[in-house]
């Protein structure tokens, strides 16, 4: 069904009118089930230490947003209550975040073991350091940004750009940045250690005992990289940079942000265009150029964002540039939607 199809007429009777309501209800249940299932899976993986908590948190970031965006194609077209249903569902998640974050510790300990275990896994899969109050930072802003954009733009191309940047770009930037910089640092360290032996020198000098607690194991490059990306002390690793006194970022992570966001925008735009959300005259090639501009600005916003507010800044940057392109007449189709 294309965007030009008519709304359900009043003469169709209650049966036809109920059809989009049931379709909307089914699609909302699909989104909720997939999100809760992902939270449970990543909570187990993180708690069992099969995945580092930072990796599971980013996979949750990508997976929940990706499922929600892809599932929008399941909703009926030309039916505005659908966007309201999705937005209100996200508001319920925001309310749950607030309740969990501010629940007194004695109340948490009084919960049944099963509920407390689920709550603990939920926090571990979504919080950086396992502190419940962190739910009111980046996680809350994440849900707020998504709920607002869904209500305003639904499946319009502007949301494809926003969600690609917020869910996929921001989700892959940190893990890719950590991996590349850590591996490059290991390579540089190995090359430096091998250099004295090639020149006939002896073994590298032993580390002074005062630099390490007695009996403590040496930290790996990944751990050092983690501390530095969180704003710890020490020199920046290769390809890393810092804007002001904010967290450490990397050029490899920023490049991954841009590339992954653009690829996701291509995929979701193809999905919605094929489902008839944009009409027959959607200029796909021009859309990708507009998406590259908006995602480029969002990449800069992520690079300079202070801790905990990157979800808001990335969303605002992508939305602002896309909206300006639409209102200026350069890309008016960016605000085209089917509901």
């Amino acid at each position: 069904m294309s965007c030009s199809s008519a709304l359900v007429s009043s003469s169709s009777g209650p049966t036809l009118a109920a059809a989009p309501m049931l379709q909307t209800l089914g699609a909302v249940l699909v989104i909720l089930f997939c999100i809760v299932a992902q939270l449970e899976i990543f909570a187990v993986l993180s708690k069992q230490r099969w995945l580092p908590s930072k990796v599971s948190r980013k996979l949750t970031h990508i997976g929940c947003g990706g499922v929600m965006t892809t599932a929008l194609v399941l909703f009926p077209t030309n039916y505005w209550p659908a966007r309201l249903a999705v937005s209100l569902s996200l508001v319920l998640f925001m309310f749950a975040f607030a309740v969990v974050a501010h629940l007194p510790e004695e109340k948490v300990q009084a919960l049944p073991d099963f509920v407390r275990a689920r709550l603990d896994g939920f926090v571990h899969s979504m919080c950086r350091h396992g502190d419940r109050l962190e739910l009111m930072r980046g996680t809350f802003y994440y849900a707020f940004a998504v709920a607002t954009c869904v209500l305003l733009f639904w499946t319009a191309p502007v949301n494809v750009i926003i969600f690609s940047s917020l869910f996929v770009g921001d989700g892959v930037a940190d893990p890719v940045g950590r991996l590349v910089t850590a591996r490059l640092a290991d390579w540089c360290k190995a090359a430096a250690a091998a250099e004295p032996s090639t020149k006939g020198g002896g073994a590298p000098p032993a580390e002074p005992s005062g630099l390490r607690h007695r009996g403590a194991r040496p930290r790996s490059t990944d751990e050092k990289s983690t501390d530095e990306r969180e704003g710890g002390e020490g020199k920046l690793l290769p390809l890393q940079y810092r804007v002001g006194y904010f967290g450490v970022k990397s050029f490899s992570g920023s490049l991954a942000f841009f590339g992954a966001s653009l690829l996701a925008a291509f995929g979701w735009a193809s999905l919605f265009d094929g489902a008839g959300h944009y009409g027959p005259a959607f200029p796909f090639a021009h859309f990708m150029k507009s998406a590259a501009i908006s995602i480029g600005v969002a990449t800069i916003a992520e690079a300079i964002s202070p801790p905990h507010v990157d979800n808001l800044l990335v969303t605002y940057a992508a939305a602002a540039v896309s909206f300006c392109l639409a209102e200026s007449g350069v890309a008016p189709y960016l605000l085209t939607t089917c509901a």
Side-chain angles (χ1 to χ4, degrees), residues 11-28:
S11 60
S12 300
T15 303
L16 292 180
M21 293 179 59
L22 294 176
Q23 186 178 350
T24 298
L25 177 61
V28 169

Side-chain angles (χ1 to χ4, degrees), residues 266-278:
F266 176 84
W268 277 325
S270 300
L271 176 67
F272 294 131
D273 185 34
H277 286 225
Y278 299 155

